[in-house]
């Protein structure tokens, strides 16, 4: 598989187990003895009608080390203008061989609205319907991550967990970047606003690191975002135990 190909993945889910849906419900609902049957009555037609899909694309990550622009942890994707901001992305991707941009969705707003009109008849139905969609979105994202894992395996690498946009200090606005580079509007019918808000509530956006199992942690001043202000370098030493080269 080539690094710069956009891969389209069928993330269809045949069955959603009630226990998976219950994880997205308030605990007090679990006392209902008919809850599993009520969930199944909604989950089955959702699985039959919706065909979740996903896309991913691999990039080569590199640590941003050029001051003064990159004064905080950041990862650039080689050959693009894309920069992944935040300590979370930095820690995960600084040791990755590849970075996958990955986006999945369960279906169009029109499809979901039609099913809601058909299946939801009361407040409980509405709660269960949304929980089923949450579960379906999670399972679809897992299927996309599995496809990335299979790609990693073919390369002799292993896959890390998904860092979703908007979690930790990884900005939600990164959705806009992902949308551009994996062509979400063309391939999935998804867009993202300037602030990163996705057009589809039932979608998952994020990045995944692919790692060499034998790779040791990168160490060296060139990989450190504190290189410009480092007080240890000022005395001719480094935090990894080597002396710095002094210019003549």
């Amino acid at each position: 598989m080539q690094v710069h190909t956009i891969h389209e993945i069928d993330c269809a889910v045949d069955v959603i187990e009630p226990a998976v849906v219950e994880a997205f419900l308030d605990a007090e609902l679990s006392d209902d003895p008919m809850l599993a049957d009520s969930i199944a009555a909604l989950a089955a037609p959702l699985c039959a009608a919706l065909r979740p899909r996903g896309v991913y694309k691999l990039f080569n990550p590199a640590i941003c080390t050029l001051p003064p622009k990159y004064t905080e942890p950041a990862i650039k994707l080689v050959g693009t203008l894309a920069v992944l901001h935040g300590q979370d992305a930095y820690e995960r991707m600084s040791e990755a061989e590849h970075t996958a941009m990955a986006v999945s969705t369960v279906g169009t707003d029109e499809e979901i609205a039609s099913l809601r009109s058909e299946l939801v008849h009361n407040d409980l139905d509405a709660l269960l319907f949304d929980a089923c969609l949450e579960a379906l979105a999670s399972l679809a994202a897992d299927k996309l991550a599995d496809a990335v894992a299979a790609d990693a395996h073919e390369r002799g690498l292993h896959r890390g967990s998904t860092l979703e946009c908007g979690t930790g200090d990884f900005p939600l606005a990164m959705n806009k970047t992902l949308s551009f580079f994996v062509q979400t509007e063309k391939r999935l019918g998804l867009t993202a606003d300037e602030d990163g808000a996705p057009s589809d509530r039932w979608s998952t956006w994020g990045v995944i690191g692919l790692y060499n199992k034998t790779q040791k942690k990168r160490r060296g001043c060139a990989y450190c975002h504190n290189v410009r202000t480092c007080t240890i370098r000022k005395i001719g030493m480094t935090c990894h135990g080597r002396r710095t080269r002094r210019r003549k």
Side-chain angles (χ1 to χ4, degrees), residues 82-170:
V83 176
L84 309 180
H85 296 281
Q87 185 68 35
D88 289 337
Y90 180 87
E91 289 180 355
R92 295 200 194 198
M93 302 306 160
S94 61
E95 297 181 7
E97 294 286 331
H98 300 298
T99 295
M101 288 186 178
V103 182
S104 60
T105 182
V106 303
T108 67
D109 288 342
E110 291 77 12
E111 290 171 328
I112 291 171
S114 177
L115 286 167
R116 189 183 296 275
S117 176
E118 176 186 346
L119 299 172
V120 173
H121 305 293
N122 52 52
D123 289 345
L124 178 60
D125 285 348
L127 287 173
L128 298 184
F129 186 84
D130 283 354
C132 285
L133 285 173
E134 292 276 11
L136 184 59
S138 177
L139 293 170
D142 287 345
K143 291 218 168 190
L144 181 58
D146 288 343
V148 175
D151 192 339
H153 181 72
E154 289 186 14
R155 300 169 188 273
L157 305 173
H158 71 279
R159 184 211 78 199
S161 59
T162 303
L163 174 60
E164 293 186 27
C165 302
T167 59
D169 67 350
F170 190 48

Side-chain angles (χ1 to χ4, degrees), residues 65 67 219-247:
T65 58
R219 304 196 70 177
C221 297
Y223 298 110
C224 180
H225 63 279
N226 291 320
V227 62
R228 185 176 176 82
T229 58
C230 181
T231 56
I232 302 175
R233 283 174 55 85
K234 289 181 179 179
I235 61 172
M237 295 294 293
T238 69
C239 62
H240 47 282
R242 296 181 180 177
R243 290 189 174 274
T244 59
R245 292 183 179 180
R246 293 186 179 276
R247 293 185 179 179

